[in-house]
Amino acid sequence: MRTLVLYFSKTGNTKKYAEEIAMATHADLLPAPKFKPKMIKDYDTIVFGGWVMANKIQGLDEFLRYYEDMKDKNIIIFSVGMSIVSPEMRKELISTNILDLYHVRYYQLRGSFDFNKLGFVHRMLMNRTIAIMQAKENPDASQAAIAQLRDTPIIVHDQPGIDKIVSVIHKLDAIAATPIAEA
Ligand SMILES: Cc1cc2nc3c(=O)[nH]c(=O)nc-3n(C[C@H](O)[C@H](O)[C@H](O)COP(=O)(O)O)c2cc1C
C-alpha cells in the first residue's frame, strides 16, 4: 500500500513530524504546496500535517479542496500546535476547522514554540496576543503561560502522537493486505 505524507510547516516542527512518520511507514514525503491532484491516484493513504495558528490548521483548506477526488482513500490529518493535547482542545480544533464535515482520521499533536524563530509578521501577531494576556487581571493557567512565551520557549517532541499515526498507517496497510474471505 502506498502512502503520501504532506506537510505545511512554518518553523519546522510539523516538517520534522511528517519526516518521521514518512520514514517509519516508507511513505513518500512532500511539502503541501507541491501537491498536485494528479498524484492522488498513486496512493491508498494520504496524510496531511499542518501547523496551528489561532486554532486554524494552516494549509488544510487548500488540501481539502481535493476531498472529492480522495473519497476512496484513507485520509489522515494531524495538526501541530503548542496547546496541550486534550479531548477538549481536539474538539475545539475539529469545530474551528469544520473537520466533522469530512470522513477523515484526525490527530492533535503538540509542537514546540520559539518566539525567536518567527518572522516579522508572526512576531507582531504574537506580541499582540502576549500583550492582551499580560493585561488580564486574573489570567488562567494557559493565558499566563502565553504571556511568558517571548522569554520561555516551549520545547516538545510529541513521540506518542507520531507513534499513534504510524501505528494507524501500519494497521491500514495490514487491512489492505488481508485477502477478502469468500462467502
Ligand atoms: C502567530 C502564531 C499563532 C499561533 N497560534 C496557535 C494556536 O492557536 N494554537 C496552538 O496550539 N499553537 C499556536 N501557535 C504555535 C504553533 O502552532 C507551534 O509553534 C507549532 O509547533 C508551529 O509549527 P511549525 O514549526 O511546523 O511551523 C501559534 C504560533 C504563532 C506564531
Side-chain angles (χ1 to χ4, degrees):
M1 200 176 86
R2 294 194 62 195
T3 301
L4 173 65
V5 180
L6 301 166
Y7 62 89
F8 199 85
S9 180
K10 190 78 196 166
T11 58
N13 293 282
T14 313
K15 179 173 187 249
K16 189 156 194 323
Y17 290 178
E19 284 169 352
E20 290 184 25
I21 293 165
M23 177 114 69
T25 57
H26 307 288
D28 292 339
L29 177 73
L30 204 65
K34 293 205 167 156
F35 174 64
K36 301 271 182 295
K38 66 175 185 198
M39 297 170 182
I40 293 169
K41 64 175 181 351
D42 298 332
Y43 297 97
D44 305 292
T45 298
I46 302 181
V47 182
F48 173 88
W51 73 286
V52 177
M53 179 167 72
N55 279 355
K56 277 287 288 172
I57 304 171
Q58 303 299 294
L60 181 65
D61 289 350
E62 290 76 7
F63 172 69
L64 287 175
R65 215 180 281 156
Y66 306 112
Y67 178 72
E68 289 298 320
D69 304 320
M70 295 187 282
K71 267 183 157 170
D72 59 336
K73 311 289 176 184
N74 303 306
I75 305 175
I76 296 176
I77 290 168
F78 70 94
S79 63
V80 180
M82 63 185 158
S83 300
I84 290 170
V85 175
S86 69
E88 295 74 27
M89 185 47 76
R90 181 175 184 275
K91 218 168 149 189
E92 198 168 320
L93 287 159
I94 288 173
S95 163
T96 306
N97 293 280
I98 326 177
L99 273 175
D100 37 14
L101 265 188
Y102 304 94
H103 184 68
V104 298
R105 291 174 173 85
Y106 166 63
Y107 304 92
Q108 181 207 350
L109 271 62
R110 192 169 188 221
S112 301
F113 176 88
D114 187 345
F115 186 84
N116 294 314
K117 280 194 182 171
L118 302 179
F120 178 72
V121 173
H122 291 124
R123 261 178 204 237
M124 286 229 314
L125 285 170
M126 281 314 297
N127 274 334
R128 204 178 325 149
T129 310
I130 289 168
I132 293 167
M133 296 308 159
Q134 281 173 337
K136 284 195 185 288
E137 270 187 31
N138 295 307
D140 66 23
S142 71
Q143 289 165 340
I146 289 172
Q148 301 300 318
L149 276 176
R150 215 170 3 217
D151 315 310
T152 322
I154 298 171
I155 298 166
V156 180
H157 186 76
D158 192 346
Q159 195 62 48
I162 294 168
D163 291 347
K164 174 85 197 160
I165 295 172
V166 168
S167 95
V168 168
I169 297 171
H170 284 151
K171 278 184 196 143
L172 290 169
D173 283 351
I175 292 166
T178 309
I180 297 167
E182 300 223 354

